């Protein structure tokens, strides 16, 4: 599976590793060190973010970094060690948009198995329409549903989350959405 | 943060790495290679599993591996690359219990930030009471609520999930539970 760059050297001793099925009952190939026997596991990453709303409008950020430079996204990024999914979502909203929010419940859990990622978006209520975007963001602004730049959304996980969000809003009930992207 | 063994050598070139804040606007210390400049990110891991039920009873597995050898757990394990959270939960239920299930909705999302993990448990309905536990399991059997070995549950994430499950069952409605363990 070519999800990630292969590991070439052992994290413990620096020797060149080889991909093989370990002898411990495992069924998958792992990067195994022939010198010190360290097994290197590679696992999916969580991306955590928010759907920050102020009345009818939602906050999007124009990306100042690759990939998808110049495209629009919900504030989101890789979950870090030592934080919860909700804390990570709040941190990313602060870092990317400089937006002050009250965090709400989990809204979408989007699996993206072909890149080994799980994206989790929380509902959030903005305290104001004043934003202080960080270096990863060109511009942060509010969009009503009919203003969303659907052709310039950075990621499918963001698009599907926004689609479900506005659909739920119309139906009057915001639920949890578990979605698998092929 | 001492969540994980520190990375000692670069995965790309094998040189010794040093922990420092990268020069790219990052705010956290990462293992950075002084030779080839590779930045090594370390992120939380997902553990995925099920609450397999047959009528009033729930399936638990007695662990044949460390940690918590001999203690009881819901079937669960580390999510792998290339699968969805639901697929991982179903795979672990098959591997650990040899149990045939119909997977239901997500039931609990439990953050364990001090070990850098997120545990996700799905509801599941067992097709039969015949199990074929794998090498990681000493015994797989069904427990009614008043039979649950509460003092011998392997992990807090399993305990809290079971507590919420039986509580929801008594109230007549199984909902989603997002829980942070300190």
């Amino acid at each position: 599976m070519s999800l990630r760059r292969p590991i070439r050297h052992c994290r413990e001793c620096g020797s060149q590793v080889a991909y093989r099925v370990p002898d411990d009952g495992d069924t998958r190939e792992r990067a195994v060190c022939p010198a010190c026997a360290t097994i290197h596991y590679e696992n999916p990453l969580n991306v955590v973010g928010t759907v920050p709303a102020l009345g009818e409008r939602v906050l999007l950020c124009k990306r100042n970094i690759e990939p998808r430079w110049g495209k629009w996204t919900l504030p989101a990024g890789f979950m870090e060690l030592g934080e919860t999914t909700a804390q990570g979502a709040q941190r990313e909203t602060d870092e990317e948009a400089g937006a002050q929010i009250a965090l709400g419940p989990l809204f979408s859990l989007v699996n993206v198995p072909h890149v080994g990622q799980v994206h989790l978006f929380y509902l959030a209520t903005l305290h104001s329409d004043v934003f202080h975007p960080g270096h990863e963001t060109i511009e942060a602004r509010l969009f009503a549903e009919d203003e969303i730049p659907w052709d310039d959304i950075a990621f499918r996980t963001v698009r599907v989350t926004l689609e479900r969000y506005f659909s739920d809003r119309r139906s009057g009930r915001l639920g949890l959405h578990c979605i698998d992207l092929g």
Side-chain angles (χ1 to χ4, degrees), chain A residues 127-172:
Chain A
H127 290 316
S128 86
D129 60 359
V130 180
F131 313 119
H132 301 92
H135 71 282
E136 296 180 7
T137 303
I138 297 167
E139 180 187 359
R141 57 161 282 212
L142 294 165
F143 292 86
E145 181 175 3
D146 62 3
E147 299 170 328
I148 297 280
W150 292 109
D151 294 338
D152 290 309
I153 298 295
F155 304 107
R156 280 203 296 159
T157 56
V158 171
R159 165 184 285 273
V160 71
T161 295
L162 287 170
E163 287 170 350
R164 301 294 177 102
Y165 176 77
F166 286 113
S167 171
D168 275 15
R169 284 274 291 248
R170 286 192 298 273
S171 78

Side-chain angles (χ1 to χ4, degrees), chain A residues 4 44-47 78 110-119 157:
Chain A
R4 304 276 165 83
L45 294 171
N46 289 338
V47 170
F78 289 111
V110 190
N111 277 283
V112 199
H114 68 281
V115 294
Q117 293 180 4
V118 182
H119 292 227
T157 56

Side-chain angles (χ1 to χ4, degrees), chain A residues 18-54:
Chain A
Y19 275 83
R20 66 174 178 83
V21 178
D23 309 317
D24 60 358
D26 202 339
T27 57
R28 291 177 182 241
E29 291 200 338
R30 317 283 183 185
V32 179
C33 179
C36 75
T38 295
I39 303 170
H40 302 75
Y41 297 95
E42 296 163 85
N43 299 88
L45 294 171
N46 289 338
V47 170
V48 288
T50 59
V51 187
L54 189 65

